[in-house]
Amino acid sequence: MSIEAAAVFCGSKTGKNPIFNQHAAELGKLLAMLKIKLVYGGGNKGLMGTIADAVLAQGGKVMGVIPKLLIEWEQQHEGLTELAVVSDMHTRKKIMYEMCDAAIVLPGGFGTLDELFEMVTWNQLKIHDKKIYVLNSGGFYNHLILHLKQMEKEGFLYENISERIIICDNPVEVFNKIS
């Protein structure tokens, strides 16, 4: 299956480790090079803003999906190819899932984890079969990966975690696995 659009879930903050922002910029450049449209949360701050700006700087296409509630908080990006303003967070996630062929998860907070786990759950329930990539920049997700493996070891998962989530340590690894 060819990937024409990728949903990227990430923080509206940049975090403390400079590698997070660096990887977001590198991934944006690579997505544009592959002519993969970025579908993301529509903000201009944090890793969200970094990846959108990187795709746009390379002439790529970017669709933002932002709920009315977050327009001021996340400061919607004004320079996007497309921007959908939706009523709530659930609608945002649903549209982002519908508009993408794969999902890539970068470092982020509660919202990013919510999006990751909903995507994985929908994948497990066969609501969709989209590939899910986790960009483990600077080992950000090491503890989560260990916990997922513990869930698998203790018999709470229906298959190996590697069947649902593709872990990558850098943007080039995502690029190599997605192209």
Side-chain angles (χ1 to χ4, degrees), residues 8-15 17-33 36 38 40 43-58 62 104-108 134-138 168-172 174:
V8 173
F9 301 109
C10 59
S12 60
K13 297 177 77 175
T14 55
N17 188 337
I19 194 94
F20 304 153
N21 210 42
Q22 179 187 334
H23 277 183
E26 288 175 23
L27 182 64
K29 182 177 179 181
L30 293 171
L31 289 174
M33 287 173 52
I36 295 174
L38 169 65
Y40 86 117
N44 68 3
K45 297 189 324 186
L47 300 182
M48 291 171 61
T50 297
I51 193 164
D53 289 342
V55 172
L56 292 168
Q58 296 295 315
V62 180
I104 306 170
V105 181
L106 280 61
V134 170
L135 181 51
N136 190 26
S137 302
C168 302
D169 291 324
N170 59 64
V172 172
V174 175

Side-chain angles (χ1 to χ4, degrees), residues 105-170:
V105 181
L106 280 61
F110 293 134
T112 303
L113 289 178
D114 172 57
E115 291 155 341
L116 166 63
F117 283 115
E118 187 159 330
M119 191 82 172
V120 172
T121 301
W122 288 9
N123 194 308
Q124 178 181 291
L125 295 173
K126 311 271 190 264
I127 294 171
H128 68 76
D129 62 351
K130 299 172 185 191
K131 296 283 185 194
I132 301 167
Y133 301 85
V134 170
L135 181 51
N136 190 26
S137 302
F140 181 80
Y141 284 114
N142 284 350
H143 291 94
L144 179 62
I145 294 163
L146 286 173
H147 187 73
L148 295 173
K149 289 179 179 177
Q150 181 69 18
M151 292 164 57
E152 181 181 315
K153 178 182 163 195
E154 294 294 342
F156 285 102
L157 304 181
Y158 289 94
E159 67 250 320
N160 292 340
I161 196 64
S162 61
E163 298 291 320
R164 293 285 165 218
I165 300 174
I166 301 160
I167 308 293
C168 302
D169 291 324
N170 59 64

Side-chain angles (χ1 to χ4, degrees), residues 46-100:
L47 300 182
M48 291 171 61
T50 297
I51 193 164
D53 289 342
V55 172
L56 292 168
Q58 296 295 315
K61 294 183 178 171
V62 180
M63 177 183 189
V65 183
I66 191 165
K68 290 176 192 166
L69 170 75
L70 295 182
I71 286 177
E72 288 183 27
W73 193 14
E74 290 185 353
Q75 299 174 338
Q76 81 183 49
H77 200 296
E78 298 292 340
L80 304 178
T81 315
E82 303 171 64
L83 180 68
V85 178
V86 298
S87 58
D88 55 46
M89 293 295 284
H90 295 291
T91 305
R92 176 198 226 179
K93 289 187 288 186
K94 185 175 185 290
I95 288 174
M96 288 178 72
Y97 299 155
E98 289 170 355
M99 298 302 296
C100 76

